[in-house]
Amino acid sequence: MAREKNKKRKKIFMAFISIVIVIAIVITGINLMAVNKLIKQGNGYNQVEIENQLTPEKDENGNWVFTTDREFKVMHLTDIHIGGGFMSKDVDEKALNAVAAMVTKEKPDLVIATGDIAFPVPYTAGTFNNQSGAKAFANLMESLGVYWDVTFGNHDAEAYSYFDREAMGRFYENEEYKYCLFQAGPKDVDGSGNHVIEIKNTKGVITQALILIDSQAYIKNNIIESIKGTYDNIHQNQVDWYEAEILRMNAENENIDKKSAPVKSLAFFHIPLVEMLDGWNEFSGNNYKDTDDFRFIDGVMGEGGKL
């Protein structure tokens, strides 16, 4: 009798496993179709016509450098959230179309996306593959023929994703993407993607420095902390690297033109500094009016339409 029960339980278990395997195969197949369609969409955009398009070159420090005496236009994007799975295919297509429309309209010299390009959250995307969304975006930018760069957010390489930060860094550094300026950065500095892009005039003076910094993801970078939303931040050795880069560029400018130092710089990263929260608390605590230390210039603060 016990033997018959064990046989029955074994049959039920094997049937359950078979159903799970079939479901997994079906979902994988549907995801592959969705990803292929998304990547095909990314490849299908027309190249943006930019008059006198600038072409960067690497200097002796290994940094990308644009040389121009005119204004340099940077388009900043963030949180594009391309799921890259069958459950997010509609919003993914809209996201790619929106980016393409903005870039085509503005014709920037450089596009910088500060994180969460990929959004491989299973309950919204239906996949753990964080490279599929990234590939759709990369193919889009390459089709548009506009120089672009990225920093990582918390979703680009979740603890449960297929690929970690280093693997995603290698993905973006692929020579296949000739318009992508991503660099993993120095190995002795925390994070992946700490690097500098310099804008110089024809005299060789650095007129603007664009500093891209990996603001990390979650403390300990595990699934529990990601669920809790315990965000990490920019580490001290990254701050030290940033300071050293600024001092280096100041010195280079001073050798050419003493009046040109210090170098103007803009920093691009995903997770806000704590000073932004301090400023928001001061602003909201003053009945949403400017204070001596905080001035709200433009835009909307908040999430989900709530201030």
PDB file of all heavy atoms in Angstrom, residues 55-74:
ATOM      1  N   THR A  55      33.413  64.423 -34.097  1.00  0.00           N
ATOM      2  CA  THR A  55      33.910  63.068 -33.891  1.00  0.00           C
ATOM      3  C   THR A  55      34.954  63.094 -32.782  1.00  0.00           C
ATOM      4  O   THR A  55      35.957  63.801 -32.901  1.00  0.00           O
ATOM      5  CB  THR A  55      34.537  62.499 -35.177  1.00  0.00           C
ATOM      6  OG1 THR A  55      33.566  62.511 -36.220  1.00  0.00           O
ATOM      7  CG2 THR A  55      35.022  61.078 -34.954  1.00  0.00           C
ATOM      8  N   PRO A  56      34.755  62.353 -31.703  1.00  0.00           N
ATOM      9  CA  PRO A  56      35.721  62.369 -30.593  1.00  0.00           C
ATOM     10  C   PRO A  56      36.958  61.524 -30.900  1.00  0.00           C
ATOM     11  O   PRO A  56      36.916  60.599 -31.707  1.00  0.00           O
ATOM     12  CB  PRO A  56      34.920  61.767 -29.444  1.00  0.00           C
ATOM     13  CG  PRO A  56      33.983  60.813 -30.118  1.00  0.00           C
ATOM     14  CD  PRO A  56      33.616  61.453 -31.430  1.00  0.00           C
ATOM     15  N   GLU A  57      38.042  61.859 -30.226  1.00  0.00           N
ATOM     16  CA  GLU A  57      39.273  61.078 -30.302  1.00  0.00           C
ATOM     17  C   GLU A  57      39.801  60.874 -28.888  1.00  0.00           C
ATOM     18  O   GLU A  57      39.550  61.695 -28.001  1.00  0.00           O
ATOM     19  CB  GLU A  57      40.320  61.797 -31.154  1.00  0.00           C
ATOM     20  CG  GLU A  57      39.916  61.954 -32.616  1.00  0.00           C
ATOM     21  CD  GLU A  57      40.991  62.642 -33.440  1.00  0.00           C
ATOM     22  OE1 GLU A  57      42.005  63.081 -32.848  1.00  0.00           O
ATOM     23  OE2 GLU A  57      40.819  62.745 -34.669  1.00  0.00           O
ATOM     24  N   LYS A  58      40.548  59.806 -28.694  1.00  0.00           N
ATOM     25  CA  LYS A  58      41.134  59.551 -27.378  1.00  0.00           C
ATOM     26  C   LYS A  58      42.452  60.306 -27.227  1.00  0.00           C
ATOM     27  O   LYS A  58      43.261  60.356 -28.158  1.00  0.00           O
ATOM     28  CB  LYS A  58      41.362  58.054 -27.164  1.00  0.00           C
ATOM     29  CG  LYS A  58      40.101  57.305 -26.762  1.00  0.00           C
ATOM     30  CD  LYS A  58      40.416  55.890 -26.298  1.00  0.00           C
ATOM     31  CE  LYS A  58      39.135  55.198 -25.811  1.00  0.00           C
ATOM     32  NZ  LYS A  58      39.398  53.806 -25.358  1.00  0.00           N
ATOM     33  N   ASP A  59      42.665  60.885 -26.021  1.00  0.00           N
ATOM     34  CA  ASP A  59      43.922  61.592 -25.761  1.00  0.00           C
ATOM     35  C   ASP A  59      44.930  60.659 -25.088  1.00  0.00           C
ATOM     36  O   ASP A  59      44.688  59.458 -24.930  1.00  0.00           O
ATOM     37  CB  ASP A  59      43.670  62.851 -24.928  1.00  0.00           C
ATOM     38  CG  ASP A  59      43.151  62.541 -23.524  1.00  0.00           C
ATOM     39  OD1 ASP A  59      43.090  61.344 -23.140  1.00  0.00           O
ATOM     40  OD2 ASP A  59      42.790  63.491 -22.800  1.00  0.00           O
ATOM     41  N   GLU A  60      46.044  61.224 -24.657  1.00  0.00           N
ATOM     42  CA  GLU A  60      47.104  60.407 -24.055  1.00  0.00           C
ATOM     43  C   GLU A  60      46.691  59.804 -22.718  1.00  0.00           C
ATOM     44  O   GLU A  60      47.304  58.845 -22.237  1.00  0.00           O
ATOM     45  CB  GLU A  60      48.372  61.249 -23.862  1.00  0.00           C
ATOM     46  CG  GLU A  60      48.248  62.425 -22.901  1.00  0.00           C
ATOM     47  CD  GLU A  60      47.661  63.672 -23.545  1.00  0.00           C
ATOM     48  OE1 GLU A  60      47.215  63.586 -24.713  1.00  0.00           O
ATOM     49  OE2 GLU A  60      47.651  64.727 -22.878  1.00  0.00           O
ATOM     50  N   ASN A  61      45.632  60.340 -22.102  1.00  0.00           N
ATOM     51  CA  ASN A  61      45.127  59.793 -20.841  1.00  0.00           C
ATOM     52  C   ASN A  61      44.083  58.696 -21.050  1.00  0.00           C
ATOM     53  O   ASN A  61      43.594  58.102 -20.082  1.00  0.00           O
ATOM     54  CB  ASN A  61      44.508  60.908 -19.993  1.00  0.00           C
ATOM     55  CG  ASN A  61      45.510  61.987 -19.626  1.00  0.00           C
ATOM     56  OD1 ASN A  61      46.569  61.694 -19.082  1.00  0.00           O
ATOM     57  ND2 ASN A  61      45.188  63.233 -19.944  1.00  0.00           N
ATOM     58  N   GLY A  62      43.726  58.452 -22.313  1.00  0.00           N
ATOM     59  CA  GLY A  62      42.719  57.444 -22.615  1.00  0.00           C
ATOM     60  C   GLY A  62      41.303  57.963 -22.550  1.00  0.00           C
ATOM     61  O   GLY A  62      40.345  57.183 -22.630  1.00  0.00           O
ATOM     62  N   ASN A  63      41.139  59.287 -22.407  1.00  0.00           N
ATOM     63  CA  ASN A  63      39.805  59.886 -22.328  1.00  0.00           C
ATOM     64  C   ASN A  63      39.325  60.300 -23.723  1.00  0.00           C
ATOM     65  O   ASN A  63      40.119  60.717 -24.571  1.00  0.00           O
ATOM     66  CB  ASN A  63      39.815  61.124 -21.432  1.00  0.00           C
ATOM     67  CG  ASN A  63      40.147  60.791 -19.997  1.00  0.00           C
ATOM     68  OD1 ASN A  63      39.789  59.723 -19.504  1.00  0.00           O
ATOM     69  ND2 ASN A  63      40.834  61.691 -19.314  1.00  0.00           N
ATOM     70  N   TRP A  64      38.017  60.197 -23.933  1.00  0.00           N
ATOM     71  CA  TRP A  64      37.435  60.686 -25.176  1.00  0.00           C
ATOM     72  C   TRP A  64      37.403  62.215 -25.141  1.00  0.00           C
ATOM     73  O   TRP A  64      37.034  62.814 -24.126  1.00  0.00           O
ATOM     74  CB  TRP A  64      36.028  60.150 -25.379  1.00  0.00           C
ATOM     75  CG  TRP A  64      35.971  58.704 -25.753  1.00  0.00           C
ATOM     76  CD1 TRP A  64      35.558  57.667 -24.983  1.00  0.00           C
ATOM     77  CD2 TRP A  64      36.344  58.141 -27.013  1.00  0.00           C
ATOM     78  NE1 TRP A  64      35.644  56.476 -25.672  1.00  0.00           N
ATOM     79  CE2 TRP A  64      36.126  56.738 -26.931  1.00  0.00           C
ATOM     80  CE3 TRP A  64      36.842  58.673 -28.212  1.00  0.00           C
ATOM     81  CZ2 TRP A  64      36.394  55.880 -27.994  1.00  0.00           C
ATOM     82  CZ3 TRP A  64      37.099  57.814 -29.278  1.00  0.00           C
ATOM     83  CH2 TRP A  64      36.877  56.437 -29.156  1.00  0.00           C
ATOM     84  N   VAL A  65      37.760  62.829 -26.259  1.00  0.00           N
ATOM     85  CA  VAL A  65      37.829  64.291 -26.348  1.00  0.00           C
ATOM     86  C   VAL A  65      37.107  64.764 -27.607  1.00  0.00           C
ATOM     87  O   VAL A  65      37.363  64.280 -28.714  1.00  0.00           O
ATOM     88  CB  VAL A  65      39.289  64.785 -26.381  1.00  0.00           C
ATOM     89  CG1 VAL A  65      39.329  66.306 -26.545  1.00  0.00           C
ATOM     90  CG2 VAL A  65      40.037  64.367 -25.120  1.00  0.00           C
ATOM     91  N   PHE A  66      36.184  65.716 -27.415  1.00  0.00           N
ATOM     92  CA  PHE A  66      35.564  66.423 -28.531  1.00  0.00           C
ATOM     93  C   PHE A  66      36.243  67.782 -28.650  1.00  0.00           C
ATOM     94  O   PHE A  66      36.437  68.469 -27.635  1.00  0.00           O
ATOM     95  CB  PHE A  66      34.069  66.648 -28.283  1.00  0.00           C
ATOM     96  CG  PHE A  66      33.215  65.421 -28.383  1.00  0.00           C
ATOM     97  CD1 PHE A  66      32.997  64.617 -27.275  1.00  0.00           C
ATOM     98  CD2 PHE A  66      32.612  65.072 -29.587  1.00  0.00           C
ATOM     99  CE1 PHE A  66      32.187  63.487 -27.354  1.00  0.00           C
ATOM    100  CE2 PHE A  66      31.802  63.948 -29.681  1.00  0.00           C
ATOM    101  CZ  PHE A  66      31.593  63.145 -28.566  1.00  0.00           C
ATOM    102  N   THR A  67      36.588  68.183 -29.862  1.00  0.00           N
ATOM    103  CA  THR A  67      37.231  69.477 -30.069  1.00  0.00           C
ATOM    104  C   THR A  67      36.314  70.379 -30.884  1.00  0.00           C
ATOM    105  O   THR A  67      35.926  70.034 -32.003  1.00  0.00           O
ATOM    106  CB  THR A  67      38.575  69.312 -30.794  1.00  0.00           C
ATOM    107  OG1 THR A  67      39.435  68.463 -30.017  1.00  0.00           O
ATOM    108  CG2 THR A  67      39.253  70.664 -30.985  1.00  0.00           C
ATOM    109  N   THR A  68      35.972  71.519 -30.301  1.00  0.00           N
ATOM    110  CA  THR A  68      35.084  72.459 -30.994  1.00  0.00           C
ATOM    111  C   THR A  68      35.170  73.838 -30.346  1.00  0.00           C
ATOM    112  O   THR A  68      35.454  73.956 -29.149  1.00  0.00           O
ATOM    113  CB  THR A  68      33.629  71.964 -30.964  1.00  0.00           C
ATOM    114  OG1 THR A  68      32.799  72.883 -31.678  1.00  0.00           O
ATOM    115  CG2 THR A  68      33.105  71.831 -29.540  1.00  0.00           C
ATOM    116  N   ASP A  69      34.913  74.863 -31.137  1.00  0.00           N
ATOM    117  CA  ASP A  69      34.821  76.227 -30.610  1.00  0.00           C
ATOM    118  C   ASP A  69      33.364  76.680 -30.496  1.00  0.00           C
ATOM    119  O   ASP A  69      33.093  77.780 -30.025  1.00  0.00           O
ATOM    120  CB  ASP A  69      35.587  77.200 -31.522  1.00  0.00           C
ATOM    121  CG  ASP A  69      37.096  76.995 -31.442  1.00  0.00           C
ATOM    122  OD1 ASP A  69      37.594  76.671 -30.349  1.00  0.00           O
ATOM    123  OD2 ASP A  69      37.774  77.149 -32.484  1.00  0.00           O
ATOM    124  N   ARG A  70      32.460  75.839 -30.938  1.00  0.00           N
ATOM    125  CA  ARG A  70      31.037  76.176 -30.828  1.00  0.00           C
ATOM    126  C   ARG A  70      30.453  75.549 -29.566  1.00  0.00           C
ATOM    127  O   ARG A  70      31.131  74.842 -28.825  1.00  0.00           O
ATOM    128  CB  ARG A  70      30.275  75.703 -32.062  1.00  0.00           C
ATOM    129  CG  ARG A  70      30.235  74.172 -32.245  1.00  0.00           C
ATOM    130  CD  ARG A  70      29.197  73.803 -33.284  1.00  0.00           C
ATOM    131  NE  ARG A  70      29.191  72.399 -33.667  1.00  0.00           N
ATOM    132  CZ  ARG A  70      28.637  71.422 -32.951  1.00  0.00           C
ATOM    133  NH1 ARG A  70      28.081  71.679 -31.775  1.00  0.00           N
ATOM    134  NH2 ARG A  70      28.656  70.172 -33.390  1.00  0.00           N
ATOM    135  N   GLU A  71      29.177  75.833 -29.328  1.00  0.00           N
ATOM    136  CA  GLU A  71      28.505  75.218 -28.186  1.00  0.00           C
ATOM    137  C   GLU A  71      28.397  73.708 -28.398  1.00  0.00           C
ATOM    138  O   GLU A  71      28.253  73.232 -29.523  1.00  0.00           O
ATOM    139  CB  GLU A  71      27.107  75.816 -28.003  1.00  0.00           C
ATOM    140  CG  GLU A  71      27.111  77.239 -27.477  1.00  0.00           C
ATOM    141  CD  GLU A  71      25.706  77.729 -27.151  1.00  0.00           C
ATOM    142  OE1 GLU A  71      24.733  77.032 -27.515  1.00  0.00           O
ATOM    143  OE2 GLU A  71      25.577  78.795 -26.534  1.00  0.00           O
ATOM    144  N   PHE A  72      28.458  72.989 -27.302  1.00  0.00           N
ATOM    145  CA  PHE A  72      28.380  71.523 -27.341  1.00  0.00           C
ATOM    146  C   PHE A  72      27.078  71.113 -26.676  1.00  0.00           C
ATOM    147  O   PHE A  72      26.815  71.444 -25.513  1.00  0.00           O
ATOM    148  CB  PHE A  72      29.578  70.917 -26.599  1.00  0.00           C
ATOM    149  CG  PHE A  72      29.689  69.430 -26.720  1.00  0.00           C
ATOM    150  CD1 PHE A  72      30.328  68.850 -27.803  1.00  0.00           C
ATOM    151  CD2 PHE A  72      29.159  68.594 -25.741  1.00  0.00           C
ATOM    152  CE1 PHE A  72      30.436  67.476 -27.927  1.00  0.00           C
ATOM    153  CE2 PHE A  72      29.255  67.218 -25.850  1.00  0.00           C
ATOM    154  CZ  PHE A  72      29.900  66.661 -26.943  1.00  0.00           C
ATOM    155  N   LYS A  73      26.244  70.381 -27.422  1.00  0.00           N
ATOM    156  CA  LYS A  73      24.913  70.023 -26.915  1.00  0.00           C
ATOM    157  C   LYS A  73      24.895  68.594 -26.368  1.00  0.00           C
ATOM    158  O   LYS A  73      25.194  67.642 -27.080  1.00  0.00           O
ATOM    159  CB  LYS A  73      23.855  70.155 -28.022  1.00  0.00           C
ATOM    160  CG  LYS A  73      22.437  69.809 -27.544  1.00  0.00           C
ATOM    161  CD  LYS A  73      21.419  69.827 -28.680  1.00  0.00           C
ATOM    162  CE  LYS A  73      21.026  71.237 -29.048  1.00  0.00           C
ATOM    163  NZ  LYS A  73      19.850  71.233 -29.993  1.00  0.00           N
ATOM    164  N   VAL A  74      24.515  68.478 -25.094  1.00  0.00           N
ATOM    165  CA  VAL A  74      24.381  67.177 -24.444  1.00  0.00           C
ATOM    166  C   VAL A  74      22.908  66.932 -24.143  1.00  0.00           C
ATOM    167  O   VAL A  74      22.240  67.780 -23.549  1.00  0.00           O
ATOM    168  CB  VAL A  74      25.186  67.108 -23.125  1.00  0.00           C
ATOM    169  CG1 VAL A  74      24.991  65.750 -22.448  1.00  0.00           C
ATOM    170  CG2 VAL A  74      26.664  67.362 -23.389  1.00  0.00           C
TER     171      VAL A  74
END
